[in-house]
């Protein structure tokens, strides 16, 4: 029986990447249908809108599927991934960001790697450099990966250290894709009064974001991928240091982390009384209207999760449970209903890093 192309497309759109890779081998017609630009675009849009994403964990390198964690018996199921360039880069990469199913990695040389962990495809990118950029032999204080909506090309954002007159300084560089090649340029310096609380940027609304403090005021640093500019968004009043109920004050802002909740920016931080009294209580806030600091809204408290300094939100399950990276020590699933948490993965906190991504058929380019 011959199925029309429209029926085939509707079937294929409901399949995961692993199954689609098998279907491509059935016949030339199926391969051409799945490999077409229109199908890849629709499948990518559906994948991004699906709340059940995956989380990539480094050291040990593995992925945790949100679907595989729905029931208690499957909570520890892991799909270990072998990097295709294992022989050359096994212990020589830094996680820089994710976008549309691609993971961006940096090596100790000047090369960057765009990798699709779902298909195994990857591309090594060596950008043309300029200025004080010296590659990645120094640790980055921030990084991010996204698409410039005005050009359609990928952009890698890096916060690098450099030396000037025997003084160590910090600057933001971008690696942009233009006319089939990648170029690197310096955007601006970051003053010493700026503290970055989370290295990996969070992508929302065509911007990359990092939690920070500037002159002891809590802000969200926002990089506009189209305009190539950085601005700051005030946090939800957390710069206030007075604690009237306790009769105390703090001379510094409380560190916080960033993630996404239904496509909106969200933050996790400890309230002031929890910091002073050393409670294991965190608050979850969401920005309901992008760029409007007064739209920050409290969603819920996270209590009884354990003695951790920070929780990085990685994603939400369909039932509202939250997955977090706790101090790069554990990947946790937290239930707001039961006020309880269970460990999904134990990490090597010296090297481990985690990031959420979606399964797509997007090819690195």
């Amino acid at each position: 029986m011959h199925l029309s192309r429209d029926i085939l497309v509707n079937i294929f759109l409901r399949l995961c990447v692993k199954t689609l890779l098998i279907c491509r081998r059935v016949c030339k017609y199926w391969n051409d249908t799945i490999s077409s630009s229109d199908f890849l675009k629709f499948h990518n849009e559906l994948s991004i809108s699906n709340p059940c994403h995956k989380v990539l964990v480094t050291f040990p390198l593995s992925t945790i599927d949100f679907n595989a964690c729905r029931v208690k018996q499957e909570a520890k199921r892991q799909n270990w991934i072998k990097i295709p360039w294992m022989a050359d880069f096994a212990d020589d990469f830094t996680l820089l960001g994710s976008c549309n199913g691609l993971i961006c990695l940096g090596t100790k040389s000047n090369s960057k790697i765009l990798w699709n962990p779902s298909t195994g495809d990857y591309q090594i990118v060596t950008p043309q450099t300029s200025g004080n950029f010296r590659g990645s032999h120094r640790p980055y204080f921030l990084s991010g990966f996204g698409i410039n909506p005005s050009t359609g090309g990928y952009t890698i954002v890096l916060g690098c250290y450099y030396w000037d007159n025997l003084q160590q300084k910090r600057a933001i560089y971008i690696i942009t894709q233009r006319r089939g090649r990648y170029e690197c340029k310096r955007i601006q310096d970051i003053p010493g009064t700026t503290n970055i609380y989370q290295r990996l940027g969070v992508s929302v609304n065509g911007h990359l974001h990092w939690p920070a403090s500037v002159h002891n005021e809590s802000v969200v640093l926002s990089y506009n991928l189209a305009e190539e500019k950085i601005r700051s968004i005030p946090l939800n009043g957390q710069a206030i240091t007075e604690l009237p109920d306790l009769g105390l004050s703090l001379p510094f802002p409380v560190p916080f982390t960033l993630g996404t909740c239904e496509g909106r920016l969200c933050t996790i931080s400890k309230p002031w009384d929890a910091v002073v009294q050393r409670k294991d209580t965190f608050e979850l806030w969401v920005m309901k209207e992008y760029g409007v600091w007064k739209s920050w809204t409290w969603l819920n408290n996270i209590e009884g999760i354990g003695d951790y300094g920070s929780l990085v939100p990685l994603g939400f399950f369909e039932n509202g449970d939250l997955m977090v990276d706790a101090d790069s020590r554990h990947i946790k699933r937290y239930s707001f209903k039961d006020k309880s948490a269970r460990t999904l993965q134990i990490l090597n906190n010296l090297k481990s890093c985690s990031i959420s991504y979606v399964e797509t058929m997007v090819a690195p380019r």
Side-chain angles (χ1 to χ4, degrees):
M1 180 179 67
H2 179 72
L3 298 177
S4 68
R5 190 177 188 278
D6 289 342
I7 294 176
L8 274 178
V9 168
N10 283 327
I11 294 173
F12 290 154
L13 285 174
R14 290 162 172 78
L15 301 180
C16 66
V17 172
K18 183 179 180 180
T19 304
L20 285 175
L21 293 176
I22 297 174
C23 290
R24 284 203 312 190
R25 303 171 187 171
V26 171
C27 64
K28 184 178 184 300
Y29 181 66
W30 282 23
N31 179 65
D32 292 342
T33 301
I34 294 172
S35 302
S36 68
S37 58
D38 289 341
F39 175 81
L40 293 177
K41 178 182 177 181
F42 290 142
H43 189 269
N44 184 37
E45 291 175 351
L46 285 175
S47 298
I48 293 174
S49 63
N50 183 357
C52 297
H53 298 170
K54 284 192 171 184
V55 170
L56 177 76
V57 175
T58 62
F59 307 106
L61 187 63
S62 62
T63 62
I64 300 175
D65 193 334
F66 275 54
N67 288 312
C69 300
R70 286 184 176 178
V71 295
K72 188 174 182 180
Q73 291 86 340
E74 297 177 326
K76 294 186 178 180
R77 180 185 298 177
Q78 300 166 17
N79 298 317
W80 295 86
I81 294 179
K82 292 184 178 180
I83 300 180
W85 52 90
M86 182 67 73
D88 297 325
F89 300 106
D91 297 313
D92 184 19
F93 65 86
T94 301
L95 192 58
L96 301 180
S98 71
C99 175
N100 286 355
L102 297 184
I103 303 292
C104 183
L105 305 170
T107 69
K108 288 184 179 179
S109 65
N110 194 31
S111 297
K112 305 294 178 286
I113 302 169
L114 305 184
W115 172 45
N116 187 328
S118 303
T119 64
D121 296 332
Y122 69 95
Q123 179 185 12
I124 298 177
V125 173
T126 302
Q128 295 183 349
T129 60
S130 62
N132 292 312
F133 187 76
R134 295 292 186 268
S136 57
H137 62 279
R138 301 180 192 275
Y140 299 121
F141 62 87
L142 65 79
S143 64
F145 179 50
I147 291 181
N148 186 327
S150 63
T151 65
Y154 291 112
T155 295
I156 305 170
V157 181
L158 300 172
C160 304
Y161 297 94
Y162 72 96
W163 290 92
D164 183 25
N165 294 328
L166 301 179
Q167 290 185 339
Q168 190 180 60
K169 297 184 178 181
R170 301 181 298 173
I172 301 296
Y173 292 80
I174 62 170
I175 299 174
T176 55
Q177 184 186 32
R178 288 189 174 91
R179 296 181 294 275
R181 65 178 183 178
Y182 285 83
E183 301 174 348
C184 176
K185 67 177 181 180
R186 181 172 167 180
I187 296 297
Q188 68 180 64
D189 280 10
I190 296 295
T193 54
T194 300
N195 296 313
I196 309 295
Y197 298 132
Q198 183 178 321
R199 181 176 61 83
L200 292 175
V202 176
S203 179
V204 172
N205 200 42
H207 296 67
L208 292 171
H209 307 83
W210 297 268
S213 66
V214 179
H215 297 293
N216 284 338
E217 179 181 357
S218 296
V219 298
V220 175
L221 293 184
S222 173
Y223 174 77
N224 189 314
L225 288 161
E227 299 177 1
E228 299 182 353
K229 294 180 179 179
I230 296 177
R231 71 184 182 103
S232 62
I233 303 173
L235 207 58
N236 50 334
Q238 293 186 24
I240 301 174
T241 59
E242 296 298 326
L243 298 171
D245 294 339
L246 302 175
L248 300 171
S249 63
L250 296 177
F252 54 86
V254 171
F256 64 101
T257 59
L258 281 179
T260 60
C261 175
E262 298 180 346
R264 299 169 177 171
L265 274 179
C266 67
T267 71
I268 296 180
S269 63
K270 283 193 173 184
W272 291 114
D273 59 338
V275 174
V276 175
Q277 299 177 4
R278 297 185 179 181
K279 296 180 180 179
D280 60 345
T281 300
F282 294 82
E283 291 181 340
L284 174 65
W285 292 69
V286 66
M287 175 179 274
K288 291 198 170 183
E289 185 177 351
Y290 181 78
V292 180
W293 72 271
K294 290 185 178 181
S295 70
W296 283 109
T297 304
W298 175 87
L299 284 186
N300 218 322
N301 282 349
I302 302 172
E303 301 170 344
I305 194 169
D307 185 17
Y308 297 106
S310 68
L311 304 176
V312 179
L314 297 175
F316 291 83
F317 294 86
E318 290 180 340
N319 69 347
D321 286 2
L322 172 66
M323 185 183 289
V324 296
D325 181 330
D327 284 351
S328 293
R329 291 161 47 197
H330 302 103
I331 301 296
K332 293 272 192 176
R333 175 174 181 165
Y334 181 78
S335 170
F336 292 100
K337 180 180 179 181
D338 301 331
K339 298 295 181 182
S340 63
R342 64 175 182 263
T343 300
L344 302 180
Q345 175 73 291
I346 298 175
L347 306 178
N348 172 3
N349 67 328
L350 296 178
K351 286 186 173 182
S352 289
C353 191
S354 60
I355 194 169
S356 59
Y357 72 99
V358 296
E359 279 193 323
T360 68
M361 297 284 289
V362 173
R365 53 181 173 83

